[in-house]
Structure formats: structure tokens, C-alpha cells
Amino acid sequence: MVRTDDSAGETSLTPEERAAADSAVATGAGRRAGGRPCTLDSLFAAWRGVVREVEEGYAWCAPEFDDDIWCRSALAGVWPLLPPRVRAMRGPELDGLDARFRVATVPWPDQDEGPHQWWKRRVPRILESEEGEDRGQGWPQGWEMLPFPKPDSVHVVE
């Protein structure tokens, strides 16, 4: 379901727009683990939560990070299928979350950050680790599989 909170300055969707948005999400995102259907609101809420977590310091491993950012990939799949007015309404929110994510992360070294799934080629600036944890190439446990040494701009905190 698409957010229709008029207090946020958004105009209510027509029934046709709402149905088209729901169909776009069903087609572009499908179901998440456990068979739960996605909604546009749930995808935005998940992306907002990931961005907040990365801003505060990401405490999980690289494979978990890849799983967490699935919601952004789903939004990318859904976006071109949404009615133009829904994109216009939600575009500023998505742009804002993306900008915050870029600030809270660093790009992979020597990688082109083209428009296609750029979020998959970024690393949180702040990674949390357990006290005394071994660090392969400076990475906390669970990040050492990345194909490059830890950039100096990535900080590991205990």
C-alpha cells in the first residue's frame, strides 16, 4: 500500500493509482523471506531502517549487510513500474534516503558507482565489532571476504 498521509503534504491516491502501485510492488518485489508480501510502505520502512542503522554504526557482517539492502534493490525493481504520480510523490523521500546512505557509506575502491545498484558497492563508514575480535586486513569478523583492504575512511568501533 502506498502512504497517503495528507499531513505529510501528499495527495491521496486514486483507487486506480493505489491498485497500480500494489501491482507494481507485487511484480517488482514479490515476497520476502517467510512468504510475507511486500508493500511500497514496507520497502520504504525497511530502507529507512537500514539507512538509520548504517548511520549509527552497522553491527552485522557483510553477508547480512547484503541481505539488509535487499529492500533498496526491490525499490529499484518496483520504481519504473509505479504510476508517475506515485514516483513524483515518493521520489523526494527515496532521494533523501539514498543521500543519507551515501554519506554513511564509502564506495568500494576502484569501482565505478554507476546508476545500476550502486548501493551494493558501498561499505558502512562505521562498523561495530566485538571487543578483542580478530581483524583480517583491518576488517571486523564477517567483512574480511571483501575483495579489497579496509579503506581508511571505514572506522571499526568496539
Side-chain angles (χ1 to χ4, degrees):
M1 176 185 270
V2 176
R3 185 179 71 190
T4 59
D5 180 2
D6 290 328
S7 67
E10 294 182 357
T11 306
S12 294
L13 297 178
T14 66
E16 293 80 14
E17 288 171 325
R18 186 178 322 276
D22 290 345
S23 175
V25 172
T27 300
R31 293 180 177 268
R32 191 63 174 133
R36 295 178 314 233
C38 294
T39 66
L40 191 57
D41 282 343
S42 72
L43 292 174
F44 268 93
W47 184 228
R48 189 177 311 107
V50 169
V51 170
R52 187 177 309 116
E53 188 174 5
V54 170
E55 288 172 330
E56 294 171 359
Y58 193 78
W60 303 98
C61 63
E64 190 70 30
F65 183 68
D66 189 53
D67 185 59
D68 285 347
I69 62 175
W70 172 89
C71 55
R72 183 58 182 88
S73 297
L75 281 166
V78 165
W79 204 252
L81 306 175
L82 291 170
R85 198 165 77 97
V86 175
R87 287 195 312 266
M89 289 168 53
R90 298 303 293 261
E93 180 182 6
L94 183 59
D95 292 344
L97 290 170
D98 287 352
R100 287 173 51 196
F101 186 77
R102 281 187 169 105
V103 168
T105 58
V106 299
W108 284 21
D110 303 320
Q111 290 286 315
D112 176 23
E113 194 178 294
H116 183 70
Q117 297 197 350
W118 55 267
W119 53 90
K120 288 187 171 188
R121 295 178 306 280
R122 297 191 69 87
V123 179
R125 284 186 186 277
I126 303 170
L127 295 173
E128 295 180 9
S129 72
E130 298 292 323
E131 189 173 337
E133 185 177 87
D134 286 337
R135 296 190 185 153
Q137 294 186 353
W139 291 109
Q141 194 169 22
W143 287 90
E144 65 280 352
M145 78 267 305
L146 289 179
F148 50 86
K150 182 185 81 56
D152 290 339
S153 53
V154 172
H155 303 285
V156 180
V157 298
E158 295 178 351

